[in-house]
Amino acid sequence: MALRRSVLSLMNTRKASLRLCGAKNFSAQAEPKEEEKRKTHFGFETVNEDEKTKKVHQVFETVASKYDLMNDVMSFGVHRLWKDIFMLRLAPTPGTKLLDMAGGTGDITFRYLNYLKNQGLPATDKRSSVTVCDINQHMLDVGKARAEKQGFTKDTSVDIEWLCADAENLPLPDDSYSAYTIAFGIRNCTHVDKVLEEAYRVLQPGGRFLCLEFSQLPNNTMQWVYDQYSFQMIPVLGQLIAGQWKPYQYLVESIRQFPHQEKFKSMIEEAGFRQVTYENLTFGVCAIHSGFKI
């Protein structure tokens, strides 16, 4: 009897030990290994998804003060024409409630304000507004300073709000805007699909989504010429003018990683938008994509 009790005791101890080991193994398996973490691209570099946001934030924090100057230099001023066309395609009317995402320095917002001012449209009870949203406070600070310098802060005809927030997780209510714009910003986001879903969520039914972004040239020879200029000249200009090489190397690489026009159009449709179209500018160097929330 004593022998039997000893054997049973030993077996129970062994089972408990196995259960404990199993729990430890399960716990170890539950912790994601470094190589199992989801990866994404940061330019041509492969990084963990949680790293990309930090790296992009550092890029724009670094270049914020020279951002607009470098845009002029890199594009020979053509970016101004692209943004003018972009606003013409939006064609806002009095009462428009615009969310200008990744709009930190104010380029699109200022065009929106000037467009409404210059139309000379009849007065209406509907008040226009714009929320300038960017994930980087430094970029917003540059935009606020520019707005004050250009006298936009004294214009009471349009409500202006400055919001520091992530395009993938906006602290804004559903169906709250009639227009959503994002210019040269969506390719820097970690999850483009989440940005599109959030854009759809915050737009009112009938609201319009417009995106201005670099794209791929349909002509191989022109693409090769464009690549030579981008990779050989833009980082050098960044070093000479802004004192920064790596941020502009990343910006060039991020353009090459962004989906081509047809693929991006499909992504916009998958987010729920309808009547999605795109228009190539300057042979396809960039494109305007637009769609409606039905």
Side-chain angles (χ1 to χ4, degrees), residues 35-84:
E35 60 269 21
E36 293 175 351
K37 290 183 178 179
R38 296 185 64 179
K39 303 289 185 179
T40 188
H41 59 80
F42 176 74
F44 290 161
E45 180 184 357
T46 300
V47 298
N48 293 331
E49 286 188 347
D50 55 2
E51 288 183 67
K52 180 170 180 177
T53 300
K54 296 177 183 177
K55 286 179 172 289
V56 171
H57 189 275
Q58 291 171 353
V59 165
F60 286 95
E61 191 171 85
T62 301
V63 304
S65 62
K66 299 289 186 179
Y67 182 77
D68 294 302
L69 174 60
M70 278 299 296
N71 282 344
D72 280 331
V73 172
M74 290 186 298
S75 71
F76 303 100
V78 178
H79 77 101
R80 296 174 180 268
L81 296 177
W82 295 336
K83 292 168 182 174
D84 288 342

Side-chain angles (χ1 to χ4, degrees), residues 40-43 47 49 51-57 60 101-103 133-135 165-170 180 182-196 198 211 213 250-251 254 257-259 264 267:
T40 188
H41 59 80
F42 176 74
V47 298
E49 286 188 347
E51 288 183 67
K52 180 170 180 177
T53 300
K54 296 177 183 177
K55 286 179 172 289
V56 171
H57 189 275
F60 286 95
M101 191 65 230
C133 188
D134 202 291
I135 197 172
D166 186 349
E168 296 181 18
N169 186 23
L170 294 169
Y180 177 113
I182 182 166
F184 303 121
I186 201 167
R187 76 180 188 282
N188 297 308
C189 299
T190 304
H191 304 100
V192 174
D193 55 341
K194 290 184 179 179
V195 176
L196 294 172
E198 279 290 89
C211 176
E213 189 52 86
Y250 157 73
L251 292 174
S254 69
Q257 296 282 37
F258 193 71
F264 187 46
M267 294 175 69

